[in-house]
Amino acid sequence: MTGLLEPRAIGADLVRLDGHAKVTGTAPYAFEQPVENPAYLHPVQATIARGRVSAMQVAAARDMPGVLAVLTHENAPRLASTEDAELAVLQSAEVGFRGQFVGAVIAETPEIARHAASLVHVDYEEEPHDVSLSAGRVDLYAPEQVNPSFPTDTEQGDVEGAFAAAAVRVEETYTTAWVHNNPMEPHTTVALREGASLTLYDSTQGVHSVRTIVAPVLGLDPERVRVIAPHVGGGFGSKGVPHAHVVLAAMAAQVVAGRAVKFALTRQQMFSLVGYRTPTIQRVQLAADGDGRLTAIAHDVVEQTSRIKEFAEQTAEPTRHMYAAPNRRTTHRLAALDVPVPSWMRAPGDCPGMFGPEVAMDELATAAGIDPIELRVRNDPDTDPESGLPFSSRRLVECLREGARRFGWDGRSPAPRARREAGWLVGTGVASSVYPLYRMPGSAAHIRALSAGRYSVGIGAADIGTGTWTTLTQIAADALDVGVENIDLRIGDTELPNATVAGGSSGITSWGSAIVDAARTFRDKFGADPEEGDEADGSTPDNPDAERFAMYAFGAQFAEVHVREDTGEIRVPRMLGVFDAGRIINPRTARSQFLGGMTMGLSMALHEQSVLDPRFGHIVNHDFADYHIAANADVAAIDVHWLDGYDPHANPMGSKGIGEIGIVGTAAAVANAAYHATGIRVRDLPLTADKFLG
Ligand code: MOS
């Protein structure tokens, strides 16, 4: 990559530019966008997991004062495309999963809409449903590819032969729970239809993605669809693509044309309508010689998708790039069930997919009598094991060594169950992290000179709480060689140049590169002293280095775990993450991303589990009373550190993406520390107390 930016504003500990508006409550989130005289929508959801609606009695709802309309599959506007079954809202009587939309009420107030929706009576022809994932199912199938477009299976050498001949081996099954994204701001769409024009105030990770996907479903000219999202209260992938509620809101807006319709999902509704992380069953085989050098690695994954639409989590993908071994195999098999559609959740694939292998590495270390850090160092590859390409930068060994120093790894007992403190068993554990550097093609940026040395910089990017408002301002300042106070950033609107989704930790790479390109074009055309109104465009350029290097962020996760000997209660008083993430644009917002990722990983390790009732096919604990996410009392000292430097090939900023790496490996580090504390190897997440009681 040529043309690295000289970091001046980049790297500065700048406070969030949107911080004041947020803490004073003046930053408009989707539901708060000022629209005149809005109507409100409340959905009716299926109470069976498979079958069809045979009759609906809507009179009681329709006749209620304040109700404007009741939508069912019989009277809802027809969509132009039903190709995406998740988005084919109210187009047929079929029910594909419990919780699917089967109707909706539009009313003068949210309370009337909700009450009226409860008065809609639905009769069903129920069919037997099938919602149980297991590795023994005979109908498991290999998808054509896994998310977003990786090969389903890979194989090199002779895994079984090497495994049989190995001095040391581990062969175990690891399982991760069904878990749900729960961003603070619920999914919300405010839709206003005027003639053939549609405006959506949407809580989304990408305004242009919403437009691109939703316009053809509704049969609208994309140019007449405007999507606005200046502030978003978290997404973690669940707002990375529009789900059915966006289509339902737009349909309702068509029915009450000229009047805006507000639709905010309830927390309970989110558990069936906005995606989730599939449970995984991971068979891992590791074989090594007497020195702990890996001779074979196999990772065979079974997971679920929805019968109505496929999503194939790339769970075995990270295994393809982590450690050197001549014989390697990865596979993915899916069960298509009568369940909601799974989707992205922070580090899809890499997050669950590093749990099995990184616990297996800990088991191999024990079996070989080698320190788990030393084992990882010995197996660190010189080139990407999958592609054979050199890494653009890979400082995993440095992360492990620096982490060991900071965490106090020296003197750690090689044997488990060696330390007791006042009734608590104490242990420490480590795991590696990896996350690919994605660059999405197709972002564009516009720069215009304002008065008094100021510049307007526009790009349809999203700030989902990550700090985009601040970091893109810093990048624009350096690209134009002015101070951050001279930049007037505009994001979150399809009126601005096209921007790719805030997903795959690709935002800064994709959008930042487009801004740098626009700034260089601008300076080439107008020099350092432009006239007011001078303007230039730019876009994310191709990066020829992307073909020549394997690009990943890396990290080392450390945890100290205390397990109560008599009750199995588990506590994590101390965690450390050391990351190789290239140049850090803003240490304040970056630290927050790493902390958030590690906290979410801790939450996955200890608490998060969406409990399915197979009799009805729904998630029982679909609220915050029963679905526990790590709270303050669960989170103690988390220390975040990153290696200084930059990636010379990634992008003009030298950054590698930080939104997701923090969650990868965390749960394995906690599980490994729990083993070290207790001598009990738990291979099933979450690590609840019962699993530590003999
Ligand atoms: Mo992230 S799960 O790619 O939004």
Side-chain angles (χ1 to χ4, degrees):
M1 189 83 213
T2 51
L4 271 170
L5 280 185
E6 183 66 34
R8 283 179 284 260
I10 289 175
D13 185 24
L14 189 62
V15 299
R16 280 174 190 265
L17 300 178
D18 51 331
H20 186 268
K22 279 186 171 165
V23 299
T24 54
T26 57
Y29 290 79
F31 198 81
E32 301 150 351
Q33 290 281 2
V35 290
E36 261 176 58
N37 189 29
Y40 297 86
L41 185 150
H42 197 91
V44 181
Q45 294 176 272
T47 55
I48 62 165
R50 181 171 184 167
R52 58 198 320 276
V53 173
S54 55
M56 288 181 74
Q57 289 151 39
V58 301
R62 198 186 48 216
D63 297 344
M64 211 182 132
V67 169
L68 299 169
V70 180
L71 299 183
T72 70
H73 69 275
E74 285 171 344
N75 68 355
R78 294 300 94 184
L79 295 172
S81 167
T82 55
E83 205 179 318
D84 183 330
E86 186 188 1
L87 300 182
V89 179
L90 304 184
Q91 301 300 290
S92 85
E94 300 300 315
V95 174
F97 59 87
R98 188 169 160 136
Q100 195 172 15
F101 292 140
V102 293
V105 174
I106 312 162
E108 295 289 347
T109 71
E111 292 80 8
I112 295 171
R114 187 171 192 150
H115 182 61
S118 76
L119 301 180
V120 174
H121 182 83
V122 187
D123 290 312
Y124 299 96
E125 281 166 27
E126 199 170 350
E127 288 172 41
H129 62 256
D130 180 356
V131 294
S132 299
L133 177 68
S134 77
R137 293 182 65 105
V138 294
D139 60 350
L140 297 176
Y141 74 99
E144 275 184 21
Q145 57 182 25
V146 294
N147 177 64
S149 55
F150 292 113
T152 301
D153 297 349
T154 60
E155 185 148 22
Q156 287 177 19
D158 172 16
V159 167
E160 298 305 330
F163 195 75
V168 199
R169 67 190 77 132
V170 170
E171 179 172 11
E172 294 292 350
T173 297
Y174 305 85
T175 49
T176 62
W178 184 330
V179 286
H180 272 89
N181 264 326
N182 274 288
M184 193 86 93
E185 182 200 16
H187 295 64
T188 301
T189 306
V190 178
L192 175 61
R193 181 75 185 260
E194 293 158 306
S197 295
L198 175 69
T199 303
L200 299 172
Y201 299 97
D202 192 35
S203 182
T204 176
Q205 293 173 225
V207 289
H208 288 94
S209 315
V210 171
R211 179 167 81 176
T212 305
I213 294 169
V214 167
V217 171
L218 297 167
L220 295 175
D221 175 1
E223 294 303 313
R224 311 284 298 267
V225 177
R226 182 173 178 191
V227 186
I228 299 167
H231 302 285
V232 177
F236 309 108
S238 68
K239 297 172 184 171
V241 286
H243 297 289
H245 65 281
V246 181
V247 175
L248 184 56
M251 286 168 81
Q254 185 178 341
V255 170
V256 296
R259 221 175 144 179
V261 174
K262 291 192 169 192
F263 181 18
L265 292 185
T266 64
R267 189 60 61 180
Q268 292 192 339
Q269 288 162 2
M270 286 167 56
F271 278 80
S272 41
L273 290 161
V274 298
Y276 59 90
R277 198 194 298 287
T278 172
T280 70
I281 303 168
Q282 309 176 32
R283 189 86 180 146
V284 179
Q285 291 171 274
L286 298 177
D289 66 19
D291 294 329
R293 291 204 164 68
L294 287 163
T295 54
I297 304 173
H299 193 185
D300 299 300
V301 176
V302 173
E303 53 200 16
Q304 76 187 35
T305 184
S306 169
R307 191 172 49 82
I308 68 162
K309 176 176 168 180
E310 183 181 279
F311 176 83
E313 179 122 356
Q314 70 272 37
T315 307
E317 228 290 315
T319 298
R320 298 169 183 169
H321 313 282
M322 277 311 294
Y323 302 114
N327 306 289
R328 302 179 318 110
R329 182 183 72 233
T330 58
T331 66
H332 298 86
R333 295 295 177 268
L334 297 186
L337 304 176
D338 302 308
V339 294
V341 185
S343 185
W344 299 340
M345 182 163 175
R346 203 172 200 167
D350 301 271
C351 170
M354 285 289 274
F355 176 69
E358 286 298 309
V359 176
M361 283 295 276
D362 203 64
E363 301 204 52
L364 187 71
T366 302
I370 298 171
D371 177 82
I373 291 178
E374 182 56 30
L375 179 71
R376 287 171 171 84
V377 171
R378 276 184 206 177
N379 288 290
D380 196 59
D382 296 328
T383 56
D384 175 21
E386 192 66 26
S387 64
L389 295 173
F391 289 98
S392 60
S393 56
R394 177 177 171 125
R395 300 169 72 191
L396 174 60
V397 169
E398 256 180 280
C399 291
L400 289 161
R401 298 253 194 252
E402 179 64 17
R405 192 182 68 74
R406 288 175 174 261
F407 196 70
W409 193 260
D410 264 9
R412 176 185 186 262
S413 155
R417 213 179 174 93
R419 207 170 133 198
R420 264 185 191 76
E421 289 173 12
W424 294 86
L425 299 167
V426 176
T428 52
V430 68
S432 301
S433 302
V434 66
Y435 195 79
L437 194 148
Y438 291 112
R439 158 191 295 257
M440 313 265 184
S443 285
H446 180 78
I447 295 178
R448 181 184 160 88
L450 306 171
S451 61
R454 299 182 57 78
Y455 296 85
S456 162
V457 177
I459 181 165
D463 190 329
I464 57 174
T466 49
T468 306
W469 277 109
T470 314
T471 48
L472 286 189
T473 298
Q474 290 172 274
I475 291 167
D478 283 356
L480 285 163
D481 197 13
V482 297
V484 288
E485 65 285 354
N486 293 76
I487 302 295
D488 216 338
L489 184 74
R490 297 191 298 148
I491 62 170
D493 190 335
T494 49
E495 298 284 281
L496 298 166
N498 189 72
T500 50
V501 68
S505 301
S506 68
I508 289 301
T509 289
S510 308
W511 311 325
S513 300
I515 289 173
V516 171
D517 186 60
R520 286 177 177 159
T521 303
F522 185 95
R523 287 293 183 228
D524 284 350
K525 274 168 96 169
F526 306 114
D529 195 18
E531 309 253 318
E532 186 175 344
D534 285 346
E535 49 194 348
D537 295 294
S539 59
T540 313
D542 287 338
N543 179 3
D545 285 359
E547 306 296 313
R548 302 195 293 122
F549 295 94
M551 300 193 190
Y552 298 85
F554 294 94
Q557 304 270 6
F558 292 79
E560 177 176 320
V561 166
H562 294 195
V563 180
R564 184 97 209 154
E565 199 170 1
D566 47 4
T567 64
E569 179 183 349
I570 174 166
R571 294 271 160 194
V572 182
R574 199 159 69 92
M575 293 166 72
L576 165 69
V578 179
F579 299 99
D580 157 24
R583 177 102 69 209
I584 295 302
I585 309 294
N586 181 323
R588 181 181 299 254
T589 53
R591 183 169 178 277
S592 172
Q593 285 302 296
F594 291 129
L595 273 179
M598 291 174 68
T599 303
M600 209 164 158
L602 172 70
S603 194
M604 173 197 191
L606 299 188
H607 313 298
E608 291 193 41
Q609 180 172 28
S610 302
V611 179
L612 176 78
D613 186 333
R615 296 171 304 167
F616 305 107
H618 71 306
I619 297 300
V620 183
N621 56 338
H622 60 168
D623 56 42
F624 281 174
D626 293 308
Y627 185 97
H628 185 65
I629 294 172
N632 280 339
D634 302 301
V635 182
I638 301 185
D639 192 10
V640 172
H641 181 74
W642 52 81
L643 303 181
D644 279 337
Y646 62 92
D647 188 294
H649 305 290
N651 56 47
M653 293 71 66
S655 63
K656 294 213 259 187
I658 57 171
E660 289 162 281
I661 181 86
I663 196 176
V664 179
T666 323
V670 172
N672 294 342
Y675 167 77
H676 188 239
T678 62
I680 298 168
R681 182 65 73 178
V682 178
R683 303 184 180 90
D684 174 45
L685 289 181
L687 304 170
T688 46
D690 51 303
K691 295 170 187 170
F692 293 98
L693 295 174

